[in-house]
Amino acid sequence: MSSENTLDDENTFKILIATDIHLGFMEKDAIRGNDSFVTFDEILKCAKENEVDLLLLGGDLFHDNKPSRRTLHSCMELLRKYCMGDHPIHFEILSDQAVNFGFGKFPWVNYQDENLNISIPVFSVHGNHDDPTGADALCALDILSCAGLVNHFGRSMSIEKIDISPILLQKGSTKIALYGIGSIPDERLYRMFVNKQVTMLRPKEDEDSWFNMFVIHQNRSKHGATNYIPEQFLDDFLDLVVWGHEHECKIAPERNEQQLFYITQPGSSVVTSLSPGEAVKKHVGLLRVKGKKMNLQKIALQTVRQFFIEDLVLGDHTDLFNPDNPKVIQKIEAFCIEKIESMLDIAERERLGNPLQPEKPLIRLRVDYSGGFEPFNALRFSQKFVDRVANPKDIVHFFRHREQKDRKDNEPINFDGLVTRTSSEGTTLRVEDLVKQYFETAEKNVQLSLLTEQGMGKAVQEFVDKEERDAIEELVKFQLEKTQRFLKERHIDAVEDKIDEEVRRFRESKKDTVEEEEDVREALNRAKAHRSQGDGSTSFMDDIDILEEPNAEDSDDSITPPPSRGRGRARGGQRSTTRGTSRRGRGASGSTESKTSGRGRSHKNPVISPTKNVSIMDAFRTSSQRSTRTPAPKNVAHEIVIDDDSDDDVSFVKPGKVEQRSLSLSSISSSRRGSQGQSQSSRGVCFDDDDDEDEFDPFKSSGNANRRGRR
């Protein structure tokens, strides 16, 4: 304790570091529902007892993008309990706070707010679980930031270039430059690093006197060619990198010999998957920084639920199990019971010395039954331990090792490379991947003509995950407009074969390129802008719903569009009867009198024309008849898995740098306070009314939608 006291003086920063708290994980589970809240309480209590200067979080404070009211309330309750008070703040911020926190309504650090009394400032970046979404690109951290409980930093305001401006902190003679970047899709950030579109700005004055910290929330281990961020991508002037997103606790600083900085990976504070990485004992870190020296003390978390995992390869026990024995299943089941009882005994012994730990542990036994064995009924087997474990439904996990034929007898199985999913978490397949798989195996006549598989997948993903109801509609419209412009610029003759060939060539040229991703992002920006206008604009899917009666004559009489946004369902190319008033928010489509929506907003009455199925060539031929509409504003898009204490000091002697980017303190305060809004006109296509085919045409109502306009 005396050694710690010698470090704690007026020149020493004390920072508690934690990542991936995942508040609200399995909150509806009767046994595990409170685990994340109990551990978060312990982390905040630890920060208060150690009288830290600030609490630094590395993302994924919440498990869900839209946390429940209970989760949000519990989080705010704990932050108010531990982080508000009369304890003085001993450090100051030297950088321009309007740059560091400029995306909020209160662009300054919370402890300087005259209406708040903060004792422990909390600084956090967002993770992939709680990233900004929706029309206003808000996340749960923004709610906490607006309430003055958390300082949310590291938000990227552009998808084309990222300038990371540090928060400059000073306590006595110690100065820290705190860099941070919230979660961004790994493939995109990888490409931006490769294209040198990520810049870390440095203070020009006394740049060598700053202790440089960087908080990042990305894949550290390689999950694919570009689905991770290599450590060598980060700048070599950094001193310490706090790496979030990875749940395995590797909190002891590891030195990168190439870039000469240290990396600490605190890991998660709650077990979210039954994998070996989660079985490592959980810690938070108490970081002390004085000058250019640091000391990281590992603090074991006492309230984390115990988790034990073992692997069993039946093929390695040929002396015990014979696949041809009719009673082999009973023998395997008895052997598994012994294994689980052994893990339960270990858990009981360890828990005796720690009354704060939950009573029931997590147990996982992974059984490889390759070699002709058959699995037993895991659900019936789990009932034997229903009152003794916290995960009775998925204690045993059976799998077959697919590489068994090629595996040598003495080569161990790489269990870490196997994909395991708990029954409570379900599958982790993305909608985007399912869309891509569908079109890869689909017949030629149902393949995409304008859109790419990746673009359609991302639009569907936004629609499903983040309720961007206009994402698919705007993507279709945007690609149609762009293809039409391409054809007009190339002066293609109105011959069907030529047009189809040029469209196909244009589509293939954009696959897996930056242009393709920019197109998708632009379409999603339009969708967000569309939704932000509320009921003043009517979606493309509503246009499909408003079809005329089968026996109705063509008419220019107007009807009022329904007040709902984007909830219509496509009916193919068929002419359907009206659905009357049995559905909420829909008027009778056959009526000819003008009506107003219940919210008092007026709508321009569209002209209803019979639907038809048209080809790209027809759309090209009639492109001259397009009507313009008011341009939708372009929003800026926000994109947003050592038990002993160490008191060793790690000092840094940094080699000279040939060229380093520099920025004066005044330049750091310069304007990057928003991006210029861009607008782009959108055009639709009017089609002739002479086709009664029953095939679905996604562009059939463009004319009506464009006549209606957006307000």
Side-chain angles (χ1 to χ4, degrees):
M1 191 67 182
S2 58
S3 61
E4 294 181 4
N5 290 333
T6 58
L7 292 174
D8 300 342
D9 55 28
E10 66 277 2
N11 298 319
T12 303
F13 269 100
K14 292 173 63 177
I15 304 172
L16 191 71
I17 299 175
T19 66
D20 297 271
I21 295 173
H22 287 272
L23 291 176
F25 173 72
M26 293 190 70
E27 62 178 326
K28 295 183 180 180
D29 187 275
I31 301 175
R32 305 168 64 184
N34 288 324
D35 286 3
S36 60
F37 304 111
V38 172
T39 304
F40 188 46
D41 183 281
E42 180 187 1
I43 293 173
L44 294 176
K45 185 177 181 181
C46 178
K48 188 172 184 177
E49 291 177 347
N50 285 279
E51 298 182 352
V52 299
D53 293 302
L54 61 96
L55 173 60
L56 182 61
L57 303 180
D60 281 353
L61 175 60
F62 296 97
H63 183 71
D64 292 319
N65 188 268
K66 298 178 180 178
S68 67
R69 280 177 289 184
R70 180 211 173 195
T71 297
L72 201 55
H73 177 270
S74 299
C75 176
M76 299 177 74
E77 179 184 16
L78 291 172
L79 288 172
R80 178 171 177 173
K81 176 182 177 182
Y82 289 104
C83 298
M84 301 187 78
D86 296 328
H87 189 275
I89 306 298
H90 297 293
F91 68 91
E92 57 181 338
I93 296 183
L94 305 180
S95 56
D96 187 355
Q97 299 182 40
V99 175
N100 303 136
F101 313 108
F103 43 81
K105 294 294 184 181
F106 305 97
W108 54 80
V109 70
N110 61 350
Y111 73 83
Q112 291 183 353
D113 194 310
E114 59 183 9
N115 299 313
L116 301 174
N117 202 11
I118 304 297
S119 60
I120 303 178
V122 180
F123 292 81
S124 177
V125 300
H126 64 262
N128 58 308
H129 280 257
D130 51 12
D131 60 325
T133 60
D136 299 320
L138 295 174
C139 64
L141 284 181
D142 292 320
I143 299 177
L144 301 180
S145 177
C146 185
L149 298 173
V150 167
N151 301 294
H152 181 197
F153 74 105
R155 250 177 104 159
S156 172
M157 309 299 289
S158 171
I159 64 172
E160 298 176 354
K161 182 174 175 56
I162 299 178
D163 290 329
I164 308 176
S165 183
I167 303 175
L168 302 180
L169 313 173
Q170 183 171 8
K171 181 181 180 181
S173 61
T174 301
K175 296 186 289 186
I176 294 181
L178 178 60
Y179 299 82
I181 182 170
S183 177
I184 294 177
D186 291 287
E187 296 89 344
R188 174 185 301 166
L189 189 58
Y190 185 101
R191 185 172 63 249
M192 295 181 76
F193 270 113
V194 170
N195 296 333
K196 301 187 183 304
Q197 295 173 327
V198 181
T199 305
M200 302 184 73
L201 307 176
R202 300 191 65 186
K204 186 176 181 180
E205 293 83 1
D206 301 325
E207 65 177 27
D208 293 332
S209 65
W210 295 86
F211 183 87
N212 301 292
M213 290 179 59
F214 182 40
V215 185
I216 185 173
H217 190 97
Q218 304 290 153
N219 281 334
R220 184 182 179 189
S221 57
K222 190 173 183 179
H223 293 272
T226 61
N227 196 16
Y228 76 113
I229 303 301
E231 297 174 5
Q232 60 266 25
F233 279 6
L234 307 183
D235 288 85
D236 58 0
F237 69 82
L238 294 173
D239 297 310
L240 179 66
V241 176
V242 179
W243 207 298
H245 184 61
E246 300 287 353
H247 282 206
E248 182 178 358
C249 183
K250 297 181 178 178
I251 199 166
E254 300 174 359
R255 180 180 173 89
N256 183 294
E257 297 299 336
Q258 181 177 349
Q259 300 295 92
L260 303 178
F261 53 64
Y262 286 82
I263 299 177
T264 176
Q265 180 179 303
S268 66
S269 60
V270 63
V271 177
T272 61
S273 64
L274 303 182
S275 59
E278 296 275 17
V280 180
K281 192 170 182 61
K282 307 288 187 183
H283 294 78
V284 293
L286 181 57
L287 176 69
R288 291 178 172 88
V289 179
K290 184 175 182 180
K292 294 285 287 184
K293 293 184 177 182
M294 76 169 187
N295 169 274
L296 185 62
Q297 177 186 351
K298 293 160 290 196
I299 302 177
L301 294 173
Q302 305 297 322
T303 59
V304 178
R305 190 177 296 274
Q306 295 170 293
F307 174 41
F308 298 91
I309 182 170
E310 283 193 19
D311 302 316
L312 173 60
V313 182
L314 298 181
D316 292 346
H317 299 274
T318 54
D319 54 330
L320 299 177
F321 311 121
N322 182 3
D324 299 328
N325 188 336
K327 295 185 178 181
V328 65
I329 294 182
Q330 289 82 350
K331 290 185 177 182
I332 295 175
E333 187 172 346
F335 191 78
C336 290
I337 291 177
E338 292 180 8
K339 285 280 188 181
I340 294 174
E341 289 288 353
S342 175
M343 286 188 278
L344 287 172
D345 290 341
I346 297 175
E348 181 66 25
R349 288 196 299 270
E350 292 185 0
R351 192 169 60 249
L352 290 176
N354 183 13
L356 299 177
Q357 276 185 331
E359 181 181 354
K360 297 179 181 179
L362 295 167
I363 301 294
R364 168 54 70 94
L365 181 63
R366 301 189 296 184
V367 181
D368 177 10
Y369 66 101
S370 306
F373 297 97
E374 292 295 331
F376 52 79
N377 189 312
L379 188 59
R380 186 173 63 241
F381 174 84
S382 300
Q383 296 304 311
K384 299 180 176 65
F385 305 96
V386 68
D387 295 327
R388 303 175 61 190
V389 300
N391 58 319
K393 295 182 179 179
D394 46 20
I395 299 177
V396 179
H397 173 69
F398 287 100
F399 67 94
R400 276 182 181 160
H401 188 58
R402 297 182 182 276
E403 305 297 329
Q404 183 71 21
K405 295 181 180 179
D406 301 329
R407 187 173 67 91
K408 299 178 181 179
D409 294 338
N410 58 352
E411 181 181 353
I413 297 176
N414 181 17
F415 285 99
D416 293 337
L418 302 173
V419 178
T420 60
R421 298 184 181 94
T422 66
S423 60
S424 59
E425 292 178 276
T427 60
T428 57
L429 284 177
R430 299 184 302 171
V431 177
E432 181 181 343
D433 298 330
L434 295 177
V435 172
K436 186 175 181 180
Q437 293 173 11
Y438 169 78
F439 285 112
E440 285 177 349
T441 59
E443 297 179 1
K444 187 175 182 181
N445 60 341
V446 294
Q447 290 287 351
L448 295 172
S449 298
L450 286 177
L451 307 180
T452 60
E453 291 83 358
Q454 180 180 352
M456 176 60 82
K458 287 185 179 296
V460 176
Q461 183 85 16
E462 291 283 328
F463 177 82
V464 173
D465 287 351
K466 302 177 181 178
E467 298 183 9
E468 292 291 355
R469 302 188 182 99
D470 300 325
I472 303 175
E473 166 201 352
E474 292 295 343
L475 181 62
V476 172
K477 287 182 179 180
F478 182 82
Q479 291 297 346
L480 177 60
E481 296 162 7
K482 193 165 185 177
T483 304
Q484 289 172 345
R485 288 197 300 270
F486 171 78
L487 294 175
K488 289 187 68 177
E489 291 170 358
R490 296 188 56 117
H491 305 289
I492 306 300
D493 297 331
V495 180
E496 185 172 359
D497 292 340
K498 272 192 174 184
I499 292 177
D500 290 344
E501 178 62 29
E502 288 295 332
V503 171
R504 192 179 303 109
R505 187 179 305 166
F506 179 60
R507 175 179 174 274
E508 293 296 326
S509 67
K510 297 190 303 176
K511 272 191 174 182
D512 302 323
T513 63
V514 178
E515 182 183 3
E516 178 186 21
E517 187 167 338
E518 290 176 350
D519 289 350
V520 176
R521 186 50 44 198
E522 173 66 21
L524 295 180
N525 287 342
R526 289 189 180 190
K528 294 174 182 177
H530 185 181
R531 193 175 73 170
S532 66
Q533 294 173 1
D535 293 335
S537 61
T538 308
S539 72
F540 169 80
M541 306 303 284
D542 284 333
D543 293 338
I544 297 178
D545 246 353
I546 309 175
L547 301 180
E548 64 180 64
E549 293 282 359
N551 298 326
E553 298 179 356
D554 292 349
S555 170
D556 289 337
D557 292 340
S558 63
I559 65 172
T560 304
S564 63
R565 297 177 294 164
R567 295 189 182 272
R569 297 185 182 176
R571 293 289 184 269
Q574 303 177 16
R575 303 186 179 194
S576 63
T577 60
T578 114
R579 291 193 279 175
T581 58
S582 61
R583 299 287 295 253
R584 293 187 298 169
R586 308 242 192 274
S589 62
S591 93
T592 57
E593 63 177 301
S594 179
K595 299 178 183 177
T596 348
S597 104
R599 299 186 185 181
R601 294 184 176 89
S602 60
H603 296 273
K604 187 178 292 184
N605 297 327
V607 178
I608 302 305
S609 60
T611 60
K612 57 168 287 184
N613 181 37
V614 295
S615 65
I616 293 298
M617 186 179 71
D618 297 326
F620 178 71
R621 285 174 176 170
T622 58
S623 61
S624 61
Q625 304 175 12
R626 295 176 296 180
S627 60
T628 61
R629 69 181 180 186
T630 304
K634 175 180 178 183
N635 288 354
V636 178
H638 303 293
E639 289 280 298
I640 41 222
V641 280
I642 317 171
D643 301 333
D644 54 335
D645 290 346
S646 173
D647 294 325
D648 296 335
D649 285 343
V650 183
S651 60
F652 297 89
V653 180
K654 309 295 288 184
K657 319 251 183 336
V658 180
E659 294 181 6
Q660 292 184 338
R661 291 184 293 274
S662 63
L663 182 73
S664 65
L665 286 172
S666 59
S667 300
I668 289 182
S669 309
S670 64
S671 61
R672 267 186 320 278
R673 312 193 179 187
S675 58
Q676 293 290 339
Q678 301 178 4
S679 60
Q680 185 174 1
S681 354
S682 304
R683 299 174 180 267
V685 181
C686 299
F687 302 118
D688 296 333
D689 181 22
D690 57 0
D691 196 342
D692 293 329
E693 293 179 10
D694 290 339
E695 297 180 5
F696 169 65
D697 178 13
F699 314 118
K700 63 185 178 183
S701 60
S702 301
N704 293 338
N706 291 323
R707 290 193 195 98
R708 179 177 307 164
R710 294 172 184 261
R711 294 186 296 277

